[in-house]
Amino acid sequence: MFSLCYAFFAVYLLNSLHDFHVSSCDENCADKPVFTPSRLVVKFGDPTSATCLVCQHNCPNSLFGLKKSAGQNLITTILWKVDSLTEWDTSPECYYTGADNNHCCSTLPVTVYQPPKNVSFSFLNHAGPMTAGHPYTLQCHVQEVAPVGNLNVTFYRGQTELHRIQSNNTEKTPMNETFTLDITPSKEDDGGQYWCEAKLDLGPEGPQTPPVVESGKLTATVYYEPQLKESSHPDLITVTKGDRLQLDCSAVGNPSPSYNWTLPSASGSPFSDDILTIESVTLEHKGQYICSVHNDIGTVTVKFNVDVKDENSADKPVFTPSRLVVKFGDPTSAKCLACQNTCPKDLYNLEKCVGNVTKNGTTISWEVDSLTEWDIDVIECYYTGNADNQCRCTQHVTVYQPPKNVSFSFLNHAGPMTAGHPYTLQCHVQEVAPVGNLNVTFYRGQTELHRIQSNNTEKTPMNETFTLDITPSKEDDGGQYWCEAKLDLGPEGPQTPPVVESGKLTATVYYEPQLKGSSHPDLITVTKGDRLQLNCSAVGNPSPSYNWTLPSATGSPFSGDILTIESVTLEHKGQYNCSVHNNIGTVTVKFNVDVKDENCADKPVFTPSRLVVKFGDPTSAKCLACQHTCPNELYGLEKSVGNVTKNGTTISWDIDRVTEWDISLMCYYTGDDNNQCCSTLPVTVYQPPKNVSFSFLNHSGPMTAGHPYTLQCHVQEVAPVGNLNVIFYRGQTELGRLQSKNTEKTPVTETFTLDITPSKEDDGGQYWCEAKLDLGPEGPQPPPVVESGKLTATVYYEPQLKESSHPDLITVTKGDRLQLNCSAVGNPSPSYNWTLPSASGSPFSGDILTIESVTLEHKGQYNCSVHNDIGTVTVKFNVDVKEAFIRNFSAPYSLLQRHLVGEEDKKGGGGEARRPDQHQPSPPRPLITELTTSSFLPSVMDIQRDVLLFYYTQWCGFCSVLNHIIIQLARLLQGNSTITVARVNVARNDLPWEFMVDHVPTILLFPRYR
């Protein structure tokens, strides 16, 4: 206990002497103090600690301690800790004094770091496009980083690392440092994104992963001279007179190159496109064609030497039409006049690979019922002259097929994009021919982004994917990207050309917060008791969050966009920092607020306390300058507009017509101490919306269920817009409510949007919006409300069956009626297509298939396909047809009519005839009803009664035994009007054979409602 107290006293004494004066220190002693950890890496301002084992064996005395520039050590542990490390160069030293008064010590290496506060990227002494082959310097500026010697800076183009640089600076405090890298860009760098990354590598004791800060990305535009797409062509191009000539001078360059053709004399008008096409060459087209391709960077020249071969035909065959464009599978035809005058011989004909040829004199007709070959290329018409030379004419045939499908997507990306990052759009076109005639256009909304033509010369149907690189910005958020494939087949092709559009993809672009209000005063002065409102509103995607740092003692934390204090006090004076952040970035706004304390004993009072007036209306207010006697006559009312009159200490202000939007009124008096006491009247000048319109953003026409759309409500000329509430409706159902965050006092026009995804139930619903200007209790009651017009929505949705289920197997008897219900609802109204079992009849396209009398051929599967432009649903009905043997031979279903003989027939007619007008009393109901041939079926088939029937004969002994039991049962049931006890003598009455029995006596029950 004594040694512990002594050690504590020694440490305290050493600390009192400023950690003792250690004149020399031996770090190579045998029993050296050991720090845990052996090296310390700590962020500036963070807490930290370390322990030191002074001597691993017994210290020779109690003269030990820890020398440090910051922190505290506790007794003999020795523990060093700091609550907040705010020194950049600290090096704790742990020591003890040996028996020979030599000091044995160890020093703890401490690295105090601060990640870069900001990293910016730029080009040194350059702005705008670069030129390929010229030198440029990239620079990466890193701010407020420590220690800078641990900093690694990496330069990138896209995701490719260009170079890595480490700082040689040994300064420990935060520094700004700029790193540079020389580059020589080429054509391939055009559109690349340059940026840099600053990584503070603090070793294994530092944070894992190391702090990394990236700069923004700069998209490079590299200008380069034109470069030909096709590097070579024949020295001499030979073409036959009348054939098609195409010279391709296409090139790439930045800026986009221009073309200038120098043609042989008399070859036609000047031409300035990349591909020169002459549909039918003549001898005048022979010669040299020079194509000059140029932009601001350079020029390249291509020379084409063209020779036109003349077949020297005095009377050349002529095709009608001169060129043929036909859709695959369609019929087509052409005619050739072999010679316009008399052919010298009868040796003329037409060569073809498909089709039929007929002759009518010198006119040769060619036709095909269905063109199903892709590479037909040409057909040739010819005749043979007297000199046995053939004179020929060629007709070019283009077989085409419009795209079967066009799809749009982002290459290797799904989900939201980030503004300033590169992305690639891709348009996939399926089964189109000839693909060389295909033009693909990329769009954002209705804005054309770029047009691309295929260079593929394949004639059969092909799939091809076209790509376009983009760098989205904030303005692209919510835009719809799509593409269009157009097959341009020239004047001989269909007019208008076949066009297929892809679906539309709505883009979500993430971007860092951007403040709505661009500036605010350097100092905001507000009077004690007044209302303070600080607007930090910003837009961003994802929606930004707000974090306010308030002056001390000003209240609880706040996380909204607009900070409002209804009545300020002196404690509210100071700096308010608003940090607006989302996943993409952070922006900080500082507000400096000064609170003026009027410290009035008798403050002026306005009546009313707040004024709300419509622009252009008259208004007035009164101020009681001091409620008691004013100390002197120095009182008044300062105003920007209007008239003032005084009546004692009451000051009246009025104006005939308010025509200013920002009115300030201050009532005051000057006290004996020459201090002014004042009050301000808040004045709100308003104007209801002049017009409210409703529409769909970037969309017109029907919507499709399950697809996203945006409603927009456009409110014109409203003030103050910060008091505006906009409500979206479908019918009378409220969909969403939005409030403007704009603080502008003058009339503004603002558009509010709401995203929806319509469903089938929304078809025919009316969408509209309402703008309400809520000005508080001092404003007009009820508040001004303006409604938009109503838009009736048409929602397209795929067919939905009215009956969701049916039996797996439908069994029907031969000869009965079969009805299969495939009814569905859909928009557009669905069409029906039935696939019937073989030999079941002609095709059917209604919703309910009815067969009045089925046969065995109607057995099988019936498939009903219900379809509209949105989708298809298929229903399968499995039908089994059962033979009806009983019905085939039983009345009333059979053509065979039976004659049954009963007791009435045997007795000769059943009694004496009665006159129709003769009244007959109703006989009493018998206990047991005796049935005969004629009364059998009406009785047992009565659906209103249960019938218990006793079959007997007069020669059946067992029947007599049962008679008394049947009689007793009939007595018990006699009071029940829904049951009949009956019997029939089957020996004397013929019955339908299906109702006969094999044995007597027999008792059968025929239940009702069967």
Side-chain angles (χ1 to χ4, degrees):
M1 182 66 184
F2 172 78
S3 60
L4 180 61
C5 294
Y6 179 79
F8 176 77
F9 173 76
V11 170
Y12 175 80
L13 179 61
L14 289 172
N15 288 333
S16 301
L17 295 175
H18 297 88
D19 294 309
F20 199 63
H21 295 283
V22 182
S23 57
S24 61
C25 180
D26 183 8
E27 294 196 1
N28 297 313
C29 37
D31 192 9
K32 189 176 178 180
V34 176
F35 273 105
T36 304
S38 59
R39 176 174 173 248
L40 202 59
V41 177
V42 58
K43 187 176 178 181
F44 184 82
D46 280 4
T48 191
S49 63
T51 58
C52 174
L53 182 59
V54 180
C55 36
Q56 301 186 42
H57 306 291
N58 292 329
C59 291
N61 53 53
S62 297
L63 294 176
F64 55 86
L66 191 141
K67 179 181 179 183
K68 74 273 191 255
S69 58
Q72 56 179 331
N73 50 322
L74 302 176
I75 319 178
T76 58
T77 8
I78 294 176
L79 172 67
W80 171 72
K81 66 176 181 177
V82 183
D83 293 332
S84 176
L85 188 53
T86 56
E87 292 188 14
W88 294 101
D89 192 3
T90 184
S91 53
E93 185 180 279
C94 187
Y95 67 92
Y96 69 88
T97 303
D100 54 358
N101 288 327
N102 287 329
H103 296 290
C104 185
C105 63
S106 291
T107 302
L108 174 65
V110 179
T111 301
V112 183
Y113 75 92
Q114 177 178 285
K117 287 200 174 175
N118 185 54
V119 177
S120 59
F121 180 87
S122 62
F123 288 88
L124 180 63
N125 300 324
H126 177 77
M130 299 184 286
T131 302
H134 288 216
Y136 298 90
T137 301
L138 312 178
Q139 62 178 6
C140 186
H141 186 59
V142 185
Q143 293 177 306
E144 296 294 308
V145 60
V148 70
N150 290 72
L151 186 67
N152 288 291
V153 168
T154 308
F155 288 86
Y156 289 90
R157 183 185 65 247
Q159 297 303 314
T160 303
E161 182 178 321
L162 300 178
H163 193 61
R164 185 173 300 189
I165 305 173
Q166 184 170 7
S167 175
N168 295 321
N169 197 320
T170 58
E171 181 61 40
K172 295 183 178 181
T173 60
M175 295 286 293
N176 298 339
E177 189 156 342
T178 300
F179 301 79
T180 61
L181 176 67
D182 294 331
I183 63 166
T184 303
S186 65
K187 165 196 167 186
E188 288 69 25
D189 299 326
D190 185 38
Q193 288 193 316
Y194 288 89
W195 56 289
C196 63
E197 172 189 273
K199 180 189 290 186
L200 195 60
D201 193 351
L202 297 158
E205 297 84 1
Q208 305 297 325
T209 58
V212 174
V213 180
E214 295 180 1
S215 72
K217 294 179 173 65
L218 282 183
T219 301
T221 300
V222 180
Y223 282 173
Y224 55 94
E225 65 180 8
Q227 298 181 18
L228 294 173
K229 292 182 181 178
E230 296 185 3
S231 57
S232 64
H233 60 271
D235 294 333
L236 180 64
I237 299 170
T238 303
V239 62
T240 303
K241 179 181 174 183
D243 282 358
R244 188 170 182 256
L245 172 65
Q246 191 173 70
L247 304 177
D248 190 350
C249 190
S250 301
V252 293
N254 195 2
S256 296
S258 300
Y259 301 85
N260 186 26
W261 290 81
T262 304
L263 311 181
S265 58
S267 293
S269 57
F271 187 71
S272 60
D273 211 343
D274 55 343
I275 300 177
L276 172 65
T277 302
I278 301 172
E279 292 297 336
S280 179
V281 296
T282 64
L283 292 177
E284 288 76 14
H285 293 116
K286 180 178 179 179
Q288 188 177 71
Y289 293 74
I290 300 174
C291 174
S292 174
V293 191
H294 57 91
N295 62 10
D296 295 339
I297 309 304
T299 301
V300 62
T301 301
V302 191
K303 295 180 180 181
F304 301 90
N305 294 303
V306 176
D307 184 24
V308 179
K309 180 181 177 183
D310 185 7
E311 295 181 344
N312 198 25
S313 305
D315 191 10
K316 192 173 182 181
V318 177
F319 267 107
T320 304
S322 60
R323 176 174 172 250
L324 205 57
V325 177
V326 59
K327 186 177 180 181
F328 183 83
D330 280 3
T332 191
S333 63
K335 290 184 178 182
C336 173
L337 183 59
C339 36
Q340 301 185 46
N341 303 314
T342 303
C343 290
K345 295 181 180 181
D346 288 335
L347 297 176
Y348 55 87
N349 208 338
L350 187 144
E351 292 183 355
K352 42 57 172 175
C353 58
V354 292
N356 304 310
V357 171
T358 57
K359 291 182 180 180
N360 184 9
T362 57
T363 300
I364 307 173
S365 298
W366 171 76
E367 64 179 348
V368 181
D369 293 333
S370 176
L371 190 52
T372 56
E373 292 193 14
W374 294 102
D375 197 5
I376 189 171
D377 198 14
V378 295
I379 53 177
E380 287 190 328
C381 184
Y382 69 91
Y383 73 86
T384 303
N386 291 324
D388 289 334
N389 290 328
Q390 278 192 345
C391 187
R392 290 177 170 268
C393 180
T394 300
Q395 184 183 55
H396 292 271
V397 181
T398 300
V399 185
Y400 76 91
Q401 176 178 285
K404 286 198 174 178
N405 184 54
V406 177
S407 60
F408 180 86
S409 62
F410 288 88
L411 180 63
N412 299 326
H413 177 76
M417 299 185 287
T418 303
H421 288 218
Y423 298 90
T424 300
L425 312 178
Q426 63 179 3
C427 186
H428 186 60
V429 185
Q430 292 178 304
E431 297 295 308
V432 60
V435 70
N437 291 70
L438 186 68
N439 289 291
V440 167
T441 309
F442 288 86
Y443 290 90
R444 183 185 65 250
Q446 297 304 312
T447 303
E448 181 178 321
L449 299 178
H450 193 60
R451 185 173 298 189
I452 305 173
Q453 184 172 7
S454 174
N455 294 322
N456 196 322
T457 57
E458 181 62 42
K459 295 181 180 180
T460 59
M462 295 285 293
N463 298 339
E464 189 155 344
T465 300
F466 301 79
T467 61
L468 177 66
D469 294 331
I470 64 165
T471 303
S473 64
K474 165 196 168 187
E475 288 69 25
D476 299 324
D477 184 39
Q480 289 189 316
Y481 287 88
W482 57 289
C483 63
E484 171 190 271
K486 180 189 290 184
L487 195 60
D488 193 349
L489 298 156
E492 297 85 4
Q495 304 298 326
T496 58
V499 174
V500 181
E501 295 180 1
S502 73
K504 294 178 173 65
L505 282 183
T506 301
T508 299
V509 179
Y510 282 173
Y511 55 94
E512 63 182 8
Q514 299 181 16
L515 296 173
K516 291 181 180 178
S518 57
S519 63
H520 59 272
D522 292 333
L523 180 64
I524 301 169
T525 303
V526 63
T527 304
K528 178 182 175 183
D530 284 356
R531 188 171 182 256
L532 172 65
Q533 191 173 70
L534 303 178
N535 190 348
C536 190
S537 300
V539 293
N541 196 359
S543 296
S545 300
Y546 300 85
N547 186 27
W548 290 80
T549 303
L550 311 181
S552 58
T554 47
S556 57
F558 184 70
S559 59
D561 55 343
I562 300 177
L563 173 64
T564 302
I565 301 172
E566 292 297 335
S567 178
V568 297
T569 64
L570 293 178
E571 287 75 15
H572 293 115
K573 179 178 179 179
Q575 188 178 78
Y576 293 74
N577 295 329
C578 174
S579 174
V580 191
H581 56 92
N582 62 9
N583 295 338
I584 309 303
T586 301
V587 62
T588 301
V589 191
K590 296 180 180 180
F591 301 90
N592 293 302
V593 175
D594 185 24
V595 180
K596 181 180 177 183
D597 184 9
E598 296 178 346
N599 198 24
C600 308
D602 191 10
K603 194 173 181 180
V605 176
F606 271 105
T607 304
S609 59
R610 176 174 172 248
L611 201 59
V612 177
V613 56
K614 187 176 180 182
F615 185 83
D617 281 3
T619 191
S620 61
K622 290 184 178 182
C623 173
L624 182 59
C626 39
Q627 299 184 47
H628 306 290
T629 304
C630 290
N632 51 50
E633 296 295 324
L634 296 176
Y635 56 87
L637 191 144
E638 292 183 358
K639 78 303 190 243
S640 55
V641 291
N643 305 308
V644 171
T645 57
K646 290 184 180 180
N647 184 8
T649 57
T650 299
I651 306 173
S652 298
W653 172 82
D654 66 89
I655 185 170
D656 294 333
R657 190 168 181 267
V658 175
T659 56
E660 291 190 12
W661 295 101
D662 194 0
I663 296 176
S664 59
L665 299 176
M666 186 175 74
C667 186
Y668 67 91
Y669 71 85
T670 304
D672 292 332
D673 53 359
N674 288 326
N675 287 329
Q676 273 194 345
C677 186
C678 62
S679 291
T680 303
L681 175 64
V683 180
T684 301
V685 183
Y686 75 92
Q687 176 179 285
K690 286 197 174 178
N691 185 54
V692 177
S693 60
F694 179 86
S695 62
F696 288 87
L697 180 63
N698 298 326
H699 177 77
S700 60
M703 299 185 286
T704 303
H707 288 217
Y709 299 89
T710 300
L711 311 178
Q712 62 179 6
C713 188
H714 188 60
V715 185
Q716 293 178 305
E717 297 296 308
V718 61
V721 70
N723 291 72
L724 186 67
N725 289 289
V726 168
I727 307 172
F728 289 86
Y729 290 92
R730 184 185 65 246
Q732 297 303 314
T733 302
E734 181 177 322
L735 300 178
R737 184 176 301 220
L738 303 174
Q739 184 172 6
S740 175
K741 294 176 179 177
N742 195 324
T743 57
E744 182 60 42
K745 294 183 179 181
T746 59
V748 298
T749 298
E750 190 159 340
T751 300
F752 300 79
T753 61
L754 179 69
D755 294 331
I756 64 165
T757 303
S759 64
K760 165 194 167 187
E761 289 69 25
D762 299 325
D763 185 38
Q766 287 190 316
Y767 288 88
W768 57 287
C769 62
E770 170 190 274
K772 180 190 290 185
L773 195 59
D774 192 350
L775 297 157
E778 298 85 1
Q781 301 300 326
V785 174
V786 180
E787 296 180 0
S788 73
K790 294 179 171 65
L791 280 183
T792 302
T794 299
V795 180
Y796 281 173
Y797 55 93
E798 64 181 9
Q800 298 182 16
L801 296 173
K802 292 182 181 178
E803 296 184 3
S804 58
S805 64
H806 59 272
D808 294 333
L809 180 64
I810 300 170
T811 303
V812 61
T813 304
K814 180 180 176 183
D816 281 0
R817 186 170 182 258
L818 173 65
Q819 190 173 70
L820 304 178
N821 191 345
C822 190
S823 300
V825 292
N827 196 0
S829 296
S831 300
Y832 301 85
N833 186 26
W834 290 80
T835 304
L836 311 181
S838 58
S840 293
S842 57
F844 184 69
S845 59
D847 56 341
I848 300 177
L849 173 65
T850 302
I851 301 172
E852 291 298 336
S853 178
V854 297
T855 65
L856 293 177
E857 287 75 13
H858 292 115
K859 179 179 180 180
Q861 189 178 76
Y862 293 73
N863 295 329
C864 174
S865 174
V866 191
H867 57 92
N868 61 10
D869 294 339
I870 310 304
T872 301
V873 62
T874 301
V875 191
K876 296 181 180 180
F877 300 90
N878 293 303
V879 175
D880 185 25
V881 180
K882 180 181 178 183
E883 282 278 11
F885 293 104
I886 294 178
R887 286 193 174 184
N888 285 341
F889 304 105
S890 301
Y893 310 104
S894 176
L895 296 176
L896 300 175
Q897 297 296 321
R898 294 173 293 182
H899 181 69
L900 304 176
V901 178
E903 285 188 288
E904 295 94 337
D905 302 294
K906 296 172 184 175
K907 293 177 180 178
E912 181 182 344
R914 300 183 179 88
R915 285 169 41 195
D917 59 347
Q918 185 176 355
H919 176 71
Q920 297 293 330
S922 300
R925 181 185 175 192
L927 188 63
I928 298 176
T929 301
E930 188 75 31
L931 300 184
T932 64
T933 299
S934 60
S935 63
F936 180 82
L937 280 176
S939 296
V940 299
M941 302 301 286
D942 187 354
I943 63 171
Q944 301 297 327
R945 292 176 180 272
D946 297 314
V947 179
L948 183 68
L949 180 61
F950 175 43
Y951 290 83
Y952 75 99
T953 65
Q954 67 273 19
W955 41 260
C956 170
F958 288 109
C959 297
S960 301
V961 174
L962 287 176
N963 270 337
H964 73 283
I965 297 175
I966 297 298
I967 292 171
Q968 288 181 4
L969 181 61
R971 286 175 177 164
L972 290 173
L973 300 174
Q974 191 173 16
N976 191 336
S977 60
T978 63
I979 189 166
T980 298
V981 180
R983 69 178 185 171
V984 60
N985 189 337
V986 293
R988 294 184 177 181
N989 294 278
D990 287 345
L991 301 180
W993 68 268
E994 62 269 28
F995 293 101
M996 284 299 292
V997 294
D998 295 334
H999 306 284
V1000 288
T1002 295
I1003 299 174
L1004 294 179
L1005 175 66
F1006 295 86
R1008 56 181 169 167
Y1009 303 128
R1010 55 196 175 277

